[in-house]
Amino acid sequence: MAFVQGVKIEVISEHRTLPFYQDPDVVDDGKKRSFYIEAITNAKFYLQVTLTKDFDWLSGNCATVWLSFDGGKERPWNFDQTIWASNRKSLTRKLTHFSCYDPEMKMYREAYFSFGHLELDELNEADVMPAHIDRLGTIRVDIERRKMFPRLHPKASRYHKDEAGERVSIVSEKALKGKAVTNTVSMIAGKPFNPHISTHYHESLAGADGHRICVEILYRSKHVLQMLGCVPKTPSPERLLNVNASSEQEMSSVGNTSTIPTDPDQEIRDLRARLALLEQSRSAKSEPLDTKGDSSNPARGVKREQVDIREIWEVKRPKASGPIETVDLTDD
């Protein structure tokens, strides 16, 4: 959404408000504000305009919101100051559709807004004026303060007799001249529409009071917004895996209490206790059980093992005593 001089503008698509992005290369001059939104192909959308309590009516008693797509015709929506004041100085209107004339049915129909895919034709030079090419991918919203007067004789409102499908949908690649525009606003014909009866007429204000508040909403694809720096680029899968692995290591190190630094004296006591446990486990592994099954004394068990080995060696190698007997094996 965008707030401009007490006016809040929102673009709503698929039951959610689309975020607005500012172009980092464009400097705001105070006369015209430009924002970017992400266009989703074949997604319907509508605009919601709210006049907040900060809106200054100056010498006017009504405000007209002019809406146009891709440099097309402007369509008005009127805001009454008396209704704004009765609603606690806040007035919201949903700009959901245009009224377009259907020549086959010979009647007006509601035309809803949708992001369509712009087709490119390399061979055929589409009959599109250069001004329309420059305005492709743009939703223009103008807010004008005006004077409203009652009519002596109410009459039916007049609407532009253009078809709902009369939009720029195909253009030559040469005419675009490398512009990063891949979508356009298309009109979806809806139910029949009866023109309402107008009971007031409006006049523009003279001088500075009649200056318009201009807001341009540039709709682009997600890839183009990433190239412009409005939206951060999606990281590669390998980088994402590395980031996840490093985060898991950090979490494991945080969860391990042994890595948390403590008091030095406490660390010495913990190390001594751990060393004592290691010595006990080592002595328990090297101690054999005696015939009585007593292994409570590690030193006694080790000593018995040495005595037994000495006795075995004494049995196998007895000491010889007396003179050595010689035997003559030669034949007599």
Side-chain angles (χ1 to χ4, degrees), residues 17-34:
T17 302
L18 300 181
F20 280 31
Y21 307 101
Q22 291 187 351
D23 190 351
D25 298 331
V26 175
V27 179
D28 184 14
D29 56 359
K31 298 180 180 179
K32 182 176 66 175
R33 301 290 300 276
S34 298

Side-chain angles (χ1 to χ4, degrees), residues 238-300:
E238 296 180 357
R239 182 180 179 184
L240 187 60
L241 292 175
N242 295 334
V243 170
N244 293 336
S246 61
S247 61
E248 291 178 359
Q249 291 179 359
E250 291 178 358
M251 293 297 295
S252 62
S253 63
V254 170
N256 189 7
T257 57
S258 62
T259 59
I260 299 177
T262 57
D263 186 50
D265 297 335
Q266 182 65 30
E267 290 183 359
I268 294 174
R269 288 192 293 269
D270 294 341
L271 290 175
R272 287 178 178 175
R274 188 177 179 184
L275 181 60
L277 291 176
L278 291 175
E279 289 179 351
Q280 290 180 5
S281 62
R282 181 179 179 183
S283 61
K285 290 181 180 179
S286 61
E287 176 187 358
L289 294 175
D290 56 359
T291 56
K292 295 182 180 180
D294 186 10
S295 61
S296 59
N297 191 355
R300 182 178 178 183

Side-chain angles (χ1 to χ4, degrees), residues 104-234:
E104 296 181 358
M105 302 295 297
K106 295 182 179 180
M107 62 186 307
Y108 288 97
R109 300 177 68 91
E110 294 180 351
Y112 298 94
F113 317 139
S114 174
F115 291 116
H117 185 70
L118 184 63
E119 298 181 3
L120 301 179
D121 192 347
E122 298 181 358
L123 301 178
N124 184 20
E125 291 289 340
D127 187 14
V128 181
M129 298 183 65
H132 285 178
I133 295 295
D134 294 336
R135 305 296 296 175
L136 281 179
T138 304
I139 302 173
R140 185 182 176 95
V141 182
D142 290 334
I143 299 95
E144 181 185 8
R145 301 173 181 88
R146 308 173 79 186
K147 273 284 187 179
M148 181 175 60
F149 302 95
R151 292 182 183 274
L152 296 178
H153 303 285
K155 64 177 183 179
S157 300
R158 292 180 300 174
Y159 293 92
H160 299 283
K161 291 187 176 182
D162 53 352
E163 299 179 7
E166 189 179 354
R167 303 292 304 168
V168 177
S169 59
I170 181 171
V171 65
S172 64
E173 188 174 1
K174 181 180 179 181
L176 279 181
K177 297 180 181 179
K179 293 183 179 179
V181 178
T182 57
N183 293 88
T184 184
V185 174
S186 59
M187 304 302 238
I188 303 175
K191 61 183 179 180
F193 179 81
N194 294 323
H196 68 277
I197 303 300
S198 175
T199 58
H200 293 77
Y201 69 95
H202 305 82
E203 291 183 357
S204 299
L205 299 178
D209 292 355
H211 290 173
R212 291 186 176 187
I213 303 172
C214 179
V215 177
E216 282 190 347
I217 304 173
L218 310 175
Y219 58 91
R220 299 290 187 270
S221 63
K222 184 177 181 179
H223 175 69
V224 174
L225 294 179
Q226 290 176 347
M227 298 300 294
L228 293 174
C230 301
V231 178
K233 295 183 179 180
T234 305

